[in-house]
Structure formats: C-alpha cells, structure tokens
Amino acid sequence: QHRGHCDGHAQHHGGRAHPAAARRVKKGEVNLDLKEKHIYYDKERDVIEIPDEKPSFSRGLIEQFMVTANETVAMFLNSRGAPCLYRVHEPPVPEKAENLKAFARLLGFSPKWNDEEVFPADYAALLNEARGGAKEQVLAKVTLRSMQKARYSTHNIGHYGLAFDYYTHFTSPIRRFPDMMVHRLVTRYMDGGRSVSETKYEDLCDHSSNMEQIAANAERASIKYKQVEFMSERLGQTYDGVISGVTEWGLYVELNENKCEGMIPIRDL
C-alpha cells in the first residue's frame, strides 16, 4: 500500500469529510493523496493489467477510523506516563525543504515557507494548490521524497505528516509486530501492570523500524520487477507520460496510463 511516509492518509473523495479528517486538515495534515499501484494477474501469474486508480471511498473511511484509533491509543498510553511505543515522524531537513521549494516554483507553484522551519500546514498549502491538476502526482512524489521516514520510538516527538502530538500503530489488519506490542502494553497498563523497560522497548522499536524498511524495499523492488515484465511486451508502443525526475544521466518518465516509470538516458534523447 503506497501511502508514503505519513502513515495512512485517508483520501478525500467528495462529499462531507469525516470530522476527524476535517480536524487533521485544519491542523495542517500533509495529505499526499498518492495513487496506488495495483497489479492484476491471470492464473499463470502473468501481469494482465496495471490500472491507474485511486483508493475507494470505503477504503478511505476505514483509514479514518484507523488513524483516529491510533491517535486515541497513543494519547491513552502517554497519559499513563510509562514507557510505550510511538510512531514518530520528524520535520523535513531544511536543505530538502529548500530543494522542494525550488522544484515547486519551477512547476509554477508558490510555496511560502521559511526554509529554516517548515510547518505541516506549509506543505499542506502547497499540495492543496496542486490538487486536481496535471502536476499533482509529480509534486506529491517529490514532496514525499523531501520528508523524513516515519519510525518507531519510545521517545515521543509527535507525527509531522499527520500534524499529531501523539501517534502509534494499533490497528493493522496484518498484525505488524509493533501493533502487537502496543496491544500488549494497553492490556498491561489497563490491568495495572508495572512499567516496562524503556531500553528494551527502544531496541524493539529500532528493530521494527529496520525491518519495516527492508519490507518496503522488497515491496518496491517486486513492483518494479512486475512493471518491467508488463512493459516488456509493449516495446515500440507510444504512451503519454510525465517527467518525474531529472538527473545528470537522463530523464525519468512515468506513464499516465499505468504509472510505470522508466529512464531515458541522455544518449537516447
């Protein structure tokens, strides 16, 4: 699920927003609204379709419940004053925020933040400026790359992307190890149990953050592999696309139809 590093931003699909979502928007949530990559296979596991689609309204509603539950549990654990596990997200590094501002201006947008301290509402205002336009997805991806990765820690510093003071992972349907730790801590503290070792849990947080990154890299690599497999049968065809990156060795282009991305080397331009 490609939600970026801001942890489960529910998408907004018209109609009246859920009250919790409206509160987060007011506080300055950085809602990337990235399209997901769904890969469909036939019985032989050959790729048959990579559609361009956004998550459904019902999916977004479930995410609203999950994010609200995660915040509520984090606030409960914090109120106990005992060591627990938070999902934290630090502000962007100033240099990366400055690079994002320069890129956004090249696209015709007008970011207005101070490079020394960019607030979530500043990022949110820029993304809202691009919302619904042809450049929205490119800007959202570059914004994501400018941000730090969310991680687990016993030291709460808040969640920048969600604009939350307290956040944890409690509700995962796939039962991540961090979620299970939080379930056990909630049960322990509600039953009047003693505080756990902060040192031990910080080590578990570091382990979980590292394993999450390994899993994310594997997921990304597997998707890239299947995209190449899919496009290998379409050599010579012409597609509309958007330049998604520029380097000294060439251009990266993302196809509008299926979000497959590839590089055009300088020598082939």
Side-chain angles (χ1 to χ4, degrees):
Q1 299 172 352
H2 292 257
R3 301 177 182 172
H5 299 300
C6 296
D7 293 302
H9 292 355
Q11 316 300 329
H12 306 292
H13 297 277
R16 194 168 72 175
H18 187 282
R23 177 170 60 89
R24 297 205 307 276
V25 169
K26 187 175 181 180
K27 289 182 68 177
E29 176 194 28
V30 184
N31 185 354
L32 296 170
D33 208 10
L34 285 168
K35 293 182 179 180
E36 295 186 323
K37 294 180 177 70
H38 289 161
I39 299 177
Y40 294 92
Y41 305 90
D42 60 17
K43 291 181 180 179
E44 284 70 42
R45 301 295 290 173
D46 291 328
V47 180
I48 58 174
E49 185 182 11
I50 306 180
D52 175 15
E53 61 186 15
K54 284 190 175 184
S56 65
F57 173 80
S58 57
R59 159 75 181 275
L61 184 61
I62 291 169
E63 285 190 359
Q64 300 289 0
F65 289 133
M66 291 175 66
V67 170
T68 301
N70 290 343
E71 182 194 23
T72 303
V73 170
M75 292 172 66
F76 165 78
L77 288 170
N78 180 74
S79 71
R80 294 298 165 121
C84 57
L85 181 149
Y86 295 99
R87 179 69 169 175
V88 300
H89 187 220
E90 295 162 296
V93 175
E95 181 184 356
K96 290 193 174 183
E98 187 176 349
N99 291 340
L100 172 62
K101 179 190 282 189
F103 180 81
R105 285 175 173 167
L106 286 174
L107 290 182
F109 299 111
S110 52
K112 299 178 175 64
W113 62 76
N114 182 330
D115 292 331
E116 295 302 317
E117 187 175 15
V118 54
F119 295 98
D122 295 324
Y123 268 29
L126 174 61
L127 292 167
N128 286 335
E129 189 180 351
R131 193 80 67 203
K135 302 172 185 175
E136 176 187 2
Q137 290 293 301
V138 171
L139 183 65
K141 288 184 177 180
V142 175
T143 300
L144 175 60
R145 291 168 188 159
S146 78
M147 300 177 78
Q148 301 205 54
K149 291 181 173 63
R151 58 186 175 84
Y152 299 103
S153 178
T154 57
H155 308 295
N156 181 51
I157 57 171
H159 196 294
Y160 182 88
L162 290 172
F164 281 166
D165 294 326
Y166 306 100
Y167 197 65
T168 190
H169 273 172
F170 174 76
T171 58
S172 172
I174 57 175
R175 292 293 172 258
R176 292 169 298 217
F177 181 46
D179 299 63
M180 299 304 295
M181 283 194 283
V182 172
H183 292 184
R184 291 164 183 167
L185 287 172
V186 169
T187 302
R188 181 190 186 100
Y189 293 147
M190 288 186 72
D191 289 344
R194 292 186 301 173
S195 298
V196 296
S197 165
E198 184 173 327
T199 301
K200 173 187 175 182
Y201 269 78
E202 187 62 26
D203 288 342
L204 292 171
C205 285
D206 289 342
H207 171 75
S208 297
S209 297
N210 291 334
M211 295 304 292
E212 175 189 21
Q213 191 56 50
I214 290 172
N217 290 341
E219 178 186 23
R220 194 156 41 240
S222 69
I223 289 173
K224 287 287 186 184
Y225 180 88
K226 285 299 179 182
Q227 287 177 321
V228 170
E229 193 177 77
F230 179 73
M231 296 304 298
S232 66
E233 300 175 2
R234 291 158 177 78
L235 296 177
Q237 295 185 23
T238 302
Y239 293 86
D240 289 331
V242 175
I243 295 174
S244 54
V246 179
T247 68
E248 59 187 27
W249 52 82
L251 304 175
Y252 286 92
V253 176
E254 184 179 86
L255 304 185
N256 297 340
E257 181 179 312
N258 51 39
K259 300 306 170 187
C260 291
E261 186 181 47
M263 191 188 76
I264 305 174
I266 289 290
R267 63 177 180 272
D268 292 336
L269 287 176

